[in-house]
Amino acid sequence: MIQFNFNTIAELMDLAESQQVPVHEIVLVREMHDSQRTREAVLQEMARNWQVMQDSIERGIRNTERSVSGMTGGDARKLYAYRQKGYMGKAVLSAAAYAVGISEVNAVMGRIVACPTAGSCGIVPAALYAAKKESDLKDDDIVLALLTAAGIGMVVDQNASIAGAAGGCQAECGTAAGMAAAALVELAGGTPAMIGNATALAIKNLLGLVCDPVAGLVEVPCVKRNGFAAVTAMLAADMTMAGVTSVIPVDEVIAAMNEIGRALPKSLRETSEAGLAVTPTAKKIEARIYPVQG
């Protein structure tokens, strides 16, 4: 019988190492227990989620539709078309385009998977889809890696927050980047310890990121932040596989994220009362979207 109770990343990794099973197996058994579903049912649901993610990517990189606000739409298509010309290479620019594309699909009320939130929906699927294209990965393996990502998200949710309103954008895009990095390392054959390390590197890079949506909408700066965070996740995975380690252990990084989130003023936690949301341009956009009725 596989033991599956964990509240920290260290506990999750220790369970995987001591029982000599992949991290995804611990998360899968826990989900089977918590949801009272069979292994097949859990895997089938995750496979359906992965299909929705891929569909939203393909729609996103072709999309020319603008959101109702007019603030977003069509940027993923531009970036994808440019992917072979830029400094960062095809794989990285493709990942950024995928992440922006999914977020743009969300902005036009398309179907996406909140991963872990709608505001950060592009990061995990974009990083994994880019890895699939670059390394010819199998969908079945990605489905299992998504369970590993889910386990990371569960721990962050228990010990900090995945909500921008509670912890700023670090809680959404930061958590998603950590989840994506963890999944990528598992797909690359990394150990449980390496999975935790990649999570730490990714989240550390996004500590302090505030949630300051223009006009209160999940569009600006959220859509483009997804693109940047997907790249962060990929770099964290590559750093880890190259042997680069985080000085601060992952659970301490998550604790720091929680402390920072609590310290952020309310104005920088999704209320649109500070930051980019109150710049002159943002206020003009807000006035256009929500005209004052005389």
Side-chain angles (χ1 to χ4, degrees), residues 9 14-15 27 33 41 43 59 80 92 124 129 136 146 155 160 195 209 228 242 272:
I9 303 296
D14 287 345
L15 284 171
V27 182
H33 174 271
L43 290 174
R59 176 178 172 180
Y80 189 69
V92 172
V124 172
Y129 196 67
D136 197 27
L146 282 168
V155 171
I195 289 171
L209 188 60
F228 283 99
S272 300

Side-chain angles (χ1 to χ4, degrees), residues 205-228:
N205 190 59
L206 295 169
L207 287 179
L209 188 60
V210 301
C211 186
D212 51 352
V214 172
L217 300 173
V218 187
E219 297 182 30
V220 176
C222 321
V223 170
K224 296 182 184 71
R225 277 184 182 165
N226 273 251
F228 283 99

Side-chain angles (χ1 to χ4, degrees), residues 65-289:
E65 182 181 359
R66 303 290 295 182
S67 62
V68 173
S69 73
M71 286 193 290
T72 61
D75 285 335
R77 187 167 178 265
K78 296 173 186 175
L79 188 54
Y80 189 69
Y82 185 75
R83 69 191 183 282
Q84 301 196 62
K85 302 176 184 177
Y87 292 115
M88 302 189 71
K90 180 181 175 182
V92 172
L93 290 177
S94 293
Y98 299 152
V100 171
I102 295 172
S103 297
E104 289 183 335
V105 168
N106 179 51
V108 295
M109 303 302 171
R111 191 180 187 204
I112 54 94
V113 176
C115 189
T117 64
S120 59
C121 65
I123 298 162
V124 172
L128 295 184
Y129 196 67
K132 174 184 174 178
K133 294 294 186 181
E134 186 71 12
S135 303
D136 197 27
L137 299 173
K138 296 179 180 178
D139 286 326
D140 287 348
D141 292 333
I142 293 176
V143 166
L144 295 175
L146 282 168
L147 285 163
T148 294
I152 301 299
M154 290 164 63
V155 171
V156 175
D157 189 40
Q158 290 171 7
N159 296 290
S161 176
I162 60 171
C169 195
Q170 61 167 8
E172 299 202 21
C173 286
T175 300
M179 292 167 64
L184 288 171
V185 167
E186 178 167 289
L187 286 166
T191 64
M194 294 170 79
I195 289 171
N197 185 76
T199 303
L201 290 175
I203 294 177
K204 280 199 312 185
N205 190 59
L206 295 169
L207 287 179
L209 188 60
V210 301
C211 186
D212 51 352
V214 172
L217 300 173
V218 187
E219 297 182 30
V220 176
C222 321
V223 170
K224 296 182 184 71
R225 277 184 182 165
N226 273 251
F228 283 99
V231 175
T232 292
M234 296 176 74
L235 183 54
D238 280 341
M239 280 188 170
T240 296
M241 296 307 297
V244 177
T245 58
S246 173
V247 173
I248 308 300
V250 60
D251 288 306
E252 292 182 28
V253 172
I254 293 170
M257 182 170 72
N258 184 45
E259 181 181 356
I260 292 167
R262 291 176 179 275
L264 287 176
K266 178 184 175 183
S267 60
L268 291 172
R269 287 187 278 124
E270 209 171 335
T271 58
S272 300
E273 295 175 351
L276 295 175
V278 296
T279 59
T281 296
K283 298 308 287 184
K284 290 177 183 177
I285 293 170
E286 184 177 8
R288 174 177 57 78
I289 296 172

